[in-house]
Amino acid sequence: MRILITEANYKNSIAIQRELYKDNMHEVFATDKEAVFFAKRLGYCKDYIVGNLEESVKQINPEFIIPVGSEAVKICSEKYRELCLIPTKESLEIALNKDKMLILNSLSDVNYPECKLFSNLEELKLYSRDKNCVVKSSNESLAKFDPLYVKSGSESEFEKIEKYLSGGVKLLMQERVSGVGRGFFCIAKEGKIISYYMHQRIREIPITGGSSTAAKSIFCAKMFNISKQIIEYLNWSGPLMIEYKYDETKQQYYLIELNPKFWGSLDLSYAVGLNFGKTLIEAYSNKVEEQIEKKYEVEKKFFWVLDGDLLVLLKTGKLHKIKEYFYKDSYTNLFENFFVDSIKLIWTIKKIFSK
């Protein structure tokens, strides 16, 4: 099968490329709008194309597309549905627009926090005057940035917020929920879970909340049951990450967001014995069985050392935790390619000495 993978330089895209390369069953191509600098050095694909998705599809004539970024998912939903395993437009709209996710509170134990859309800074300031909030893009396919945290009575983030509002982007302000970050990750088809695992964040960048730089695999029956409800309700097809905050004191989950694409911490899934790229292709091509029981290893840890984790340890004064990289059941994405690691190291050093 001729397969086209988007966002060639993303670490999750590279993880899919690497595992399909090992599998050696398909003709795999990767594309990126701007460059294929890192990915081409790794050499996991038959060829790499620089250009937009439409141009790449014309050039490669793929039999299957794996969209990795939000923009690619949206384009595939509109133009290439027959070449993807992708949710209905209605379900995708709920996942991409965080204000529409409120409908999921009709399900048992979902607990999606109170949220409101804003296009005006003064209204946003008034809303956050007496509560701690998180400000996010309402639709990541239109504007993507790390969450901004607004403390009650503080104006420290308003300059950044105003910049996004002036660009015509609607922002969503969500009541901040405390707890440990947990995620449910899966491939589903027509509302049935085909393969899944769960993780708990160990560290993230920025440290106030963002992408995982270290995570460990876990299993929780309650998180599975909540996630299963959401997937069935949305009749979901394709990859999905469901992000939660877990309040350990109350033993309660709070839904934070749905990520309707492959997630940044995809490497961990391969470390626990799964192959989501291969599973996605099989789910698209064949009739597959729903998976209920756990089929992955727990307490496996993955560290994205030069993709932010080393930076987090230095910034937080916890450099001694480097020893965790060498523990049993710990994995990293170091040493895939010396040149790529060297460039990432330069980026890390630059960030360390920046303000």
Side-chain angles (χ1 to χ4, degrees):
M1 184 182 285
R2 289 171 66 84
I3 296 169
L4 180 63
I5 305 173
T6 71
E7 282 76 29
N9 288 315
Y10 284 20
K11 63 182 181 181
N12 42 352
S13 180
I14 289 170
I16 299 168
Q17 295 166 41
R18 181 185 63 236
E19 298 307 311
L20 291 181
Y21 174 79
K22 289 179 183 177
D23 204 33
N24 196 29
M25 290 181 64
H26 305 281
E27 277 190 299
V28 182
F29 301 82
T31 182
D32 204 291
K33 283 195 304 182
E34 297 173 0
V36 290
F37 184 67
F38 286 123
K40 198 165 188 175
R41 291 280 179 172
L42 293 164
Y44 294 136
C45 297
K46 183 173 181 178
D47 200 4
Y48 297 86
I49 301 97
V50 178
N52 63 41
L53 182 53
E54 292 91 336
E55 292 167 346
S56 299
V57 169
K58 286 178 183 176
Q59 185 175 335
I60 298 302
N61 191 25
E63 297 169 84
F64 185 60
I65 302 172
I66 302 179
V68 174
S70 296
E71 184 181 354
V73 169
K74 194 171 182 183
I75 292 169
C76 284
S77 175
E78 293 168 355
K79 297 185 177 183
Y80 306 115
R81 297 193 67 83
E82 73 284 358
L83 294 175
C84 303
L85 186 64
I86 205 160
T88 64
K89 290 182 179 179
E90 294 77 16
S91 294
L92 188 59
E93 189 74 8
I94 291 171
L96 287 174
N97 293 277
K98 295 179 176 63
D99 57 311
K100 295 186 177 181
M101 283 172 53
L102 282 165
I103 195 170
L104 298 176
N105 276 335
S106 61
L107 305 176
S108 176
D109 294 321
V110 168
N111 301 312
Y112 186 58
E114 178 188 342
C115 61
K116 190 173 180 181
L117 276 176
F118 291 94
S119 55
N120 179 284
L121 185 62
E122 293 308 313
E123 288 181 3
L124 189 146
K125 283 182 177 181
L126 186 65
Y127 181 81
S128 63
R129 189 172 55 187
D130 58 353
K131 62 184 76 174
N132 295 327
C133 297
V134 184
V135 176
K136 305 176 180 179
S137 170
S138 62
N139 188 324
E140 285 191 7
S141 67
L142 300 176
K144 184 176 180 179
F145 55 88
D146 288 322
L148 300 170
Y149 292 90
V150 178
K151 291 183 179 179
S152 175
S154 169
E155 297 194 2
S156 60
E157 297 291 352
F158 287 150
E159 188 176 329
K160 292 179 186 175
I161 292 168
E162 189 170 24
K163 181 185 73 174
Y164 289 114
L165 288 172
S166 64
V169 176
K170 277 193 173 183
L171 299 183
L172 178 131
M173 181 167 271
Q174 193 176 67
E175 187 175 4
R176 188 171 183 182
V177 176
S178 61
V180 64
R182 288 185 173 182
F184 182 91
F185 309 85
C186 73
I187 301 291
K189 187 174 184 179
E190 297 171 353
K192 294 180 179 179
I193 298 167
I194 308 305
S195 184
Y196 73 90
Y197 75 106
M198 308 173 204
H199 93 196
Q200 181 166 305
R201 283 184 173 177
I202 299 171
R203 289 184 288 274
E204 56 194 339
I205 190 168
I207 58 176
T208 51
S211 303
S212 298
T213 65
K216 68 176 180 179
S217 58
I218 63 167
F219 177 81
C220 175
K222 186 172 185 177
M223 180 163 47
F224 176 85
N225 291 331
I226 297 169
S227 303
K228 189 172 186 291
Q229 281 188 90
I230 292 170
I231 290 159
E232 289 174 345
Y233 178 84
L234 295 173
N235 195 33
W236 195 267
S237 289
L240 180 66
M241 171 197 175
I242 309 177
E243 183 180 350
Y244 299 94
K245 287 284 188 183
Y246 179 61
D247 187 320
E248 293 172 306
T249 306
K250 298 178 181 177
Q251 294 189 328
Q252 189 167 19
Y253 280 95
Y254 294 89
L255 175 63
I256 301 301
E257 67 178 34
L258 302 178
N259 196 351
K261 56 185 177 62
F262 279 109
W263 42 93
S265 54
L266 186 63
D267 282 302
L268 178 59
S269 67
Y270 297 110
V272 300
L274 303 174
N275 188 329
F276 276 88
K278 184 178 179 181
T279 300
L280 183 69
I281 297 164
E282 289 173 348
Y284 170 77
S285 305
N286 307 302
K287 185 177 180 181
V288 284
E289 296 295 320
E290 184 175 24
Q291 180 187 314
I292 303 299
E293 72 278 11
K294 177 177 68 67
K295 289 188 176 180
Y296 63 93
E297 300 177 81
V298 297
E299 295 299 320
K300 300 284 186 182
K301 297 179 181 179
F302 205 98
F303 303 92
W304 291 269
V305 179
L306 297 177
D307 292 293
D309 199 51
L310 183 59
L311 181 62
V312 171
L313 292 179
L314 282 159
K315 292 282 189 182
T316 56
K318 295 178 180 178
L319 202 55
H320 63 280
K321 288 184 175 286
I322 282 178
K323 63 187 178 184
E324 295 175 353
Y325 300 162
F326 307 100
Y327 287 172
K328 184 185 175 184
D329 293 331
S330 292
Y331 301 83
T332 77
N333 61 343
L334 283 173
F335 311 120
E336 266 191 276
N337 181 281
F338 177 77
F339 181 83
V340 172
D341 283 351
S342 298
I343 297 296
K344 288 181 179 181
L345 181 60
I346 291 168
W347 175 86
T348 301
I349 292 169
K350 186 179 177 183
K351 286 287 185 181
I352 289 167
F353 290 102
S354 65
K355 289 185 180 180

